[in-house]
Amino acid sequence: MSDSGLGFSLNRFIGLMVLIAVITLLFEWVSDFGGGLIKAQVEQTTSKYDPDKNIDKRIEPVVVLSNEVVVASASEDLSLLDSNNFVAEDSCQQTIEGNDMLQFNLKEMVVSSTCEEITITLVHTGAMPANVMGHNWVLTTSSDFMPVAQEGGAAGAENAYVPVDDNRVLAASAVIGGGEETAVTFSSSVLEVGGDYTFFCSFPGHYAVMKGAFKVV
Ligand SMILES: [Cu+2]
């Protein structure tokens, strides 16, 4: 079989067909491969195909619109404590600290009226003993605060510096010294929303500075 160069040749025709078939297959394979890459990408970034599939392989989005930002700013902005933005279930159990320098770490405490019971944990972060630098946490209405604090000091250590059987005392914890911790739990039924309450330490002489506003929202 001679090859004239430009004329028809069966071999050349078969060769051309094979070449076209190979190119077509190659093109399809490349398309499939590319399409597969795109599909895999979509599967990894969305839950379109299966919400639980690839959950740990998914690519983290660059921009995260997170609730954490809102929560963080709410807890840092004390003015929000007075509003309905306060997280009610968090307010039913609160912690306050007292130290060796006649200080509470809070000037104001806010609880939600939705709490059935309120638990206040008092932590004495100092080192001085209870008979020298004892602290407790006592709650009264603001108008009862001064007389109860003075009578409490007179009631003495044996009564934890609280007037005995006095219904002006809405809640009172034990007296603790440095490094100790105590808690008092009381029913919210003794409180009114918007009422004017004061918490304080009734250890003699402490109430003048160790006091703060207690609000029910
Ligand atoms: Cu005190």
Side-chain angles (χ1 to χ4, degrees):
M1 213 181 276
S2 70
D3 188 0
S4 62
L6 294 169
F8 177 79
S9 151
L10 189 60
N11 279 347
R12 228 176 236 196
F13 179 72
I14 290 168
L16 191 65
M17 289 293 115
V18 169
L19 191 63
I20 289 168
V22 166
I23 287 169
T24 305
L25 284 173
L26 196 65
F27 184 75
E28 280 184 0
W29 179 78
V30 167
S31 304
D32 268 0
F33 183 71
L37 279 183
I38 291 165
K39 192 184 168 205
Q41 196 83 350
V42 170
E43 279 184 342
Q44 285 189 359
T45 50
T46 74
S47 56
K48 183 178 174 182
Y49 295 97
D50 179 348
D52 297 324
K53 197 179 168 188
N54 290 325
I55 203 141
D56 43 34
K57 284 192 218 155
R58 280 188 203 154
I59 296 157
E60 286 293 320
V62 176
V63 177
V64 180
L65 296 174
S66 171
N67 286 336
E68 281 176 59
V69 177
V70 176
V71 171
S73 64
S75 63
E76 279 164 20
D77 187 353
L78 289 177
S79 66
L80 288 176
L81 295 180
D82 287 328
S83 75
N84 292 328
N85 292 330
F86 190 77
V87 182
E89 56 267 33
D90 284 352
S91 72
C92 303
Q93 300 197 346
Q94 301 196 14
T95 299
I96 183 169
E97 294 175 2
N99 62 20
D100 281 345
M101 295 161 70
L102 288 182
Q103 291 166 329
F104 278 136
N105 67 331
L106 301 174
K107 291 272 176 232
E108 183 179 303
M109 298 178 83
V110 182
V111 297
S112 166
S113 60
T114 60
C115 298
E116 280 183 29
E117 285 188 334
I118 297 152
T119 297
I120 305 294
T121 299
L122 171 65
V123 179
H124 194 318
T125 59
M128 294 168 79
N131 62 338
V132 179
M133 185 55 72
H135 297 316
N136 63 358
W137 188 92
V138 181
L139 182 68
T140 64
T141 63
S142 291
S143 53
D144 288 336
F145 153 59
M146 285 291 276
V148 169
Q150 286 162 358
E151 290 170 41
E158 62 271 28
N159 294 311
Y161 305 112
V162 173
V164 179
D165 291 333
D166 191 323
N167 58 19
R168 292 174 300 174
V169 178
L170 303 176
S173 78
V175 177
I176 55 170
E180 295 178 323
E181 180 179 319
T182 188
V184 57
T185 298
F186 54 101
S187 168
S188 63
S189 63
V190 300
L191 304 171
E192 286 172 20
V193 175
D196 189 4
Y197 303 99
T198 296
F199 69 86
F200 58 96
C201 171
S202 65
F203 190 95
H206 289 196
Y207 66 88
V209 283
M210 296 188 73
K211 61 178 171 140
F214 189 89
K215 293 182 178 174
V216 185
V217 294

